[in-house]
Amino acid sequence: MAEILREGNVWHLRNEWISYALCEMPGGVLAHLYAGPRLEKLNPASLMRRAGIQMEGFSIQELALDRLPREYPSFGLGDMREGALTVVAPDGTRAVDLRLEDARVLPEKPALEGLPATRGEGCAAVQFALRDAHTGLEVQLNYAIYDDCPAVVRSARLINRGDAPMTVERAYSLCLDVPDADWDLVTLSGSWARERSIRRRALVQGFQGISSQRGASSLQASPFMALARRGADEACGEVIGMALIYSGNFIAQAEVDHNGGARLLLGINDRDFTWRLDPGESFQTPEAAMVLSSEGLGGMSRGFHALWEKHLLPARWVNRDRPVLLNSWEASYFDFDENKLAGIAQAAADAGVSLFVMDDGWFGHRDDDTTSLGDWQPDRNKLPSGLKALGDRVRAMGLQFGIWMEPEMVSPDSDLFCAHPDWCQHIPGREHITARHQLILDLSRADVREFVYQSVADTLHESGASYLKWDMNRNFSNIGSAALPADRQGEVPHRYILGLYEVMDKLTADFPDVLFEGCASGGGRFDAGMLYYVPQFWCSDDTDALCRCEIQYGTTLVFPPSTMGCHVSAVPNHQTMRTVPLQTRFAVALGGCFGYELDPRALTDDERRTLREQTAFAERTQALRLYGAFYRLASPFEGNETAWMSVSQDKNEAIFTFVRDRAMPNTLPPLTKLRGLDAAKRYKIVETGEVYGGDELMNVGLCCPIPVYGSGDAWAALYTLKAVDEA
Ligand code: DGJ
């Protein structure tokens, strides 16, 4: 059980695995004391010594704050490190002196106004109210610690209790000071078709980190960072993971200071951000989640997976089967009509698929990516009888029908743009800057949000679709809203995200049975904010199985397999022109929500037969693959081999995936040590009939019988393990 204990001026948040402690300094300054493995009994004096906190005679004089680990450091009081908060007071100055006024354990975790956040069940929550007496700014720091995972979540709410407007220039969600810098910083970085590569570097004095100012969390950087002890690996060592539940601009930064400690900051990027806070108004930061692991990066990942699955992802989709789908994009791109789609759908049905998805190109006069976004009426040249007719035809084959939209966009060549040229983000008098020939709708406007909601709702009603792929294919530029005054233009990026969340909130509530899958040029907005609404996200536009080994492996650092859309595509692969065996494409796509991204009619009879078997296997193993405890075993970022496995909660079943990238002749067969099994149990490898002890599989390893010669590149093994009574 999670609990919040108070001893004098020290607060201790703890559960079965972790402790998080804060203390009030003389004068009401709130300091950070400890974040790490559970402590039975806090020893405040030694923790303070460790954190460099001198309680006796403390005041903020003589730049004392420059050495103090403050819980929510503000700018301008002599702490020369980067802080979490900058607010311009009515007199134009920026110093903010926050002192603790009140601390109370809350009966339940408050929801965050307008923002996705972990849900309130099964946690203990506490709020610290701080106030700047000079301006009347109040900051409420809200924390919650969960019963069932090693996680603490936190956010800040700013309230202007003064009588004049203030301007918020920075309001991060999390600050964490750690007393030494003997850590590596781990981040997820990438690009289009190369999302979420794991990057690890030793901390050094100065700044390091990642950020996005693209309007979305982005393909290039994920709103996440971790500190891993120098020697920590997948299984061992101390790791602190931090992820932001937000889908827009963010910053994740580590600063090693002159004291030799490190300060971690995570929140909305203050670049291109200001917020006017009128008297009585409040500003809510996104929520940040911290997972504290003593079992290395693997333990951190399982902590995040549990936190999201139990407390963030749409509850109705967790632990539920996801349909094996076939998506039309790589099968036909823009070149289709109703009969062609029906042909592909029939072939999909023959392969046992349960959902057919029509991707881009069905509306307006969209034969390429230059037109029609915003005109969400079916193209009668392609679909002469409309959406419902196609949907009905697909359903008559025993399939569900799904559809693609990019609701946040408008093409300059569209009726929508002609009717409402001011509905896009733009700066009057400046030339429009398009990307993929499109502009971004201004979701900070209520009328635009209503249009977006209605377009999606009408499309769902008309088509009867039970699945919607929600795409978003460009970054922000010429950022401006025709509906906001000059001194609020700095609010546009965040208001956009709030607007997006409002629309998603309403749509997911009004269409609870529709499965929404997120997409942003692949995984360009794959973050915990979006995953509050969509249970799965298209991992990447790169469907090459070897590239996918890296992309999916990196993604699992923070997100569970159940959130990753993973499809078998045709060869040669459309992004890399590489030809990978079907078995390997299959093994890799089983790493998440399984589907196809190809035209089955173009396959041989043999391949189609294999597809049927694959589909049946994917369905049979769903619960284990998507919701089992996940272990990364061999990293494609470190070598020629990739391996991962999932283990059922009762440890009676497991599924193991191994991929060797380049064939290496004359080498010993690869041996992979499995994890997470019961050492005392015996396991049968279903595919080979061999029986091993759990201890043997974990301590000696499992040998993949890769041929010494002639294995070819991109060789994969896929084994299912079942606990048996046999000796
Ligand atoms: C980008 C997506 O990532 C693709 O899967 C596809 O839906 C295209 N957009 C369609 O334009």
Side-chain angles (χ1 to χ4, degrees), residues 139-472:
V139 176
Q140 294 174 352
L141 299 180
N142 284 302
Y143 294 77
I145 180 163
Y146 281 93
D147 294 341
D148 50 11
C149 43
V152 171
V153 295
R154 60 178 285 192
S155 66
R157 184 159 169 255
L158 280 48
I159 308 163
N160 183 349
R161 302 241 187 249
D163 49 18
M166 305 173 189
T167 304
V168 183
E169 289 186 336
R170 171 187 295 182
Y172 291 161
S173 302
L174 170 153
C175 172
L176 183 71
D177 283 348
V178 291
D180 71 89
D182 195 17
W183 301 86
D184 291 335
L185 179 68
V186 181
T187 55
L188 293 172
S189 309
S191 183
W192 177 77
R194 287 189 283 107
E195 294 93 332
R196 291 175 295 286
S197 299
I198 299 176
R199 300 285 177 244
R200 183 169 178 161
R201 65 205 117 156
L203 286 183
V204 293
Q205 186 164 358
F207 298 105
Q208 44 250 279
I210 54 169
S211 63
S212 165
Q213 47 182 316
R214 295 169 177 272
S217 49
S218 86
L219 297 153
Q220 288 74 11
S222 287
F224 154 81
M225 68 180 153
L227 287 188
R229 278 290 173 205
R230 288 280 150 81
D233 59 16
E234 275 296 327
C236 304
E238 203 184 340
V239 176
I240 304 174
M242 287 150 274
L244 193 65
I245 304 174
Y246 191 61
S247 310
N249 296 341
F250 76 92
I251 183 162
Q253 179 181 284
E255 176 184 2
V256 177
D257 61 45
H258 60 116
N259 305 312
R263 170 168 286 180
L264 289 309
L265 294 167
L266 180 63
I268 294 179
N269 197 339
D270 60 346
R271 181 85 56 96
D272 201 21
F273 169 83
T274 58
W275 197 273
R276 196 177 85 200
L277 203 58
D278 285 336
E281 283 184 354
S282 63
F283 177 83
Q284 173 66 57
T285 73
E287 186 168 84
M290 273 173 287
V291 169
L292 311 174
S293 162
S294 327
E295 291 175 13
L297 289 161
M300 175 201 73
S301 299
R302 287 185 293 283
F304 274 123
H305 297 182
L307 178 68
W308 306 144
E309 281 177 346
K310 291 173 177 164
H311 304 288
L312 182 89
L313 294 167
R316 60 189 169 279
W317 290 104
V318 178
N319 290 324
R320 203 175 127 182
D321 281 354
R322 309 289 172 82
V324 171
L325 67 84
L326 184 139
N327 185 53
S328 72
W329 182 238
E330 289 194 17
S332 61
Y333 295 102
F334 296 102
D335 178 21
F336 61 80
D337 59 20
E338 184 186 313
N339 285 334
K340 182 170 177 183
L341 291 184
I344 299 172
Q346 186 56 61
D350 295 344
V353 163
S354 44
L355 165 67
F356 172 75
V357 181
M358 173 173 64
D359 206 283
D360 196 355
W362 58 266
F363 51 91
H365 55 103
R366 191 161 163 93
D367 294 326
D368 55 32
D369 62 11
T370 59
T371 80
S372 304
L373 292 167
D375 297 347
W376 299 108
Q377 301 303 321
D379 177 350
R380 293 282 162 179
N381 290 322
K382 292 179 180 172
L383 306 177
S385 313
L387 283 180
K388 182 171 182 315
L390 174 64
D392 286 347
R393 210 166 148 185
V394 168
R395 283 184 283 270
M397 299 169 194
L399 293 165
Q400 298 172 49
F401 180 60
I403 198 163
W404 176 98
M405 290 183 81
E406 195 177 358
E408 300 159 63
M409 298 292 155
V410 57
S411 304
D413 175 10
S414 67
D415 294 344
L416 179 67
F417 186 72
C418 293
H420 298 287
D422 61 333
W423 274 15
C424 64
Q425 278 192 31
H426 67 289
I427 302 175
R430 288 194 189 275
E431 186 187 354
H432 283 302
I433 300 176
T434 55
R436 212 194 186 208
H437 314 283
Q438 62 199 52
L439 296 164
I440 304 179
L441 287 172
D442 177 4
L443 293 192
S444 71
R445 296 174 63 134
D447 49 0
V448 175
R449 292 199 293 277
E450 180 52 31
F451 168 81
V452 171
Y453 169 84
Q454 214 47 62
S455 312
V456 178
D458 290 349
T459 305
L460 288 172
H461 280 308
E462 194 186 328
S463 62
S466 59
Y467 165 104
L468 189 117
K469 179 176 173 186
W470 183 296
D471 206 349
M472 193 277 187

